[in-house]
Amino acid sequence: MTISGLGGEPDYEQRFKMWAEDIDSSLKRAGGDSNVVTLQAPTREQIRARFAEIAKQAKPADALVVMLIGHGTFDGVDYKFNIPTTLRARSWPRLLDRVPSRASSW
């Protein structure tokens, strides 16, 4: 899964979108039995919904790779990935733990 966040200005918006599209097309060209998912500037709810779908489909022997492209912020307490509705760093383990895939290094 590749998730590109908000750029904050047109140049970064274009770069993040281009990088996500490049990764998407490269992975799809590589073929195999992978399931390629690319989300561009999704809301928190869209990300949660996609993880729920993946959790239903994944098997324990599967591997899950999540790539985040974009900016983040830190307010002295919490890290956030900048999407239309920010997603706090502490939310990621809860999303990933629901997917029955091989152990990851979160």
Side-chain angles (χ1 to χ4, degrees):
M1 178 187 301
T2 303
I3 302 171
S4 67
L6 298 174
E9 60 183 63
D11 185 44
Y12 285 110
E13 295 282 342
Q14 181 180 357
R15 286 183 197 190
F16 297 166
K17 182 178 187 237
M18 179 188 66
W19 291 338
E21 289 172 351
D22 285 350
I23 291 168
D24 184 271
S25 64
S26 295
L27 291 172
K28 286 178 179 173
R29 272 195 316 271
D33 62 352
S34 63
N35 182 5
V36 178
V37 175
T38 302
L39 304 173
Q40 295 186 8
T43 64
R44 179 178 44 231
E45 290 73 27
Q46 290 170 321
I47 293 172
R48 287 180 176 152
R50 186 54 70 140
F51 270 101
E53 289 175 30
I54 291 170
K56 288 178 187 175
Q57 298 169 0
K59 295 173 182 45
D62 291 342
L64 173 63
V65 177
V66 179
M67 293 178 273
L68 303 177
I69 300 171
H71 294 297
T73 58
F74 180 65
D75 62 8
V77 176
D78 204 1
Y79 292 94
K80 299 173 187 167
F81 180 60
N82 293 345
I83 54 174
T85 49
T86 59
L87 192 58
R88 298 172 186 265
R90 66 177 174 240
S91 298
W92 292 100
R94 288 191 295 255
L95 293 171
L96 292 166
D97 286 345
R98 294 180 184 149
V99 178
S101 59
R102 286 186 252 160
S104 64
S105 58
W106 174 253

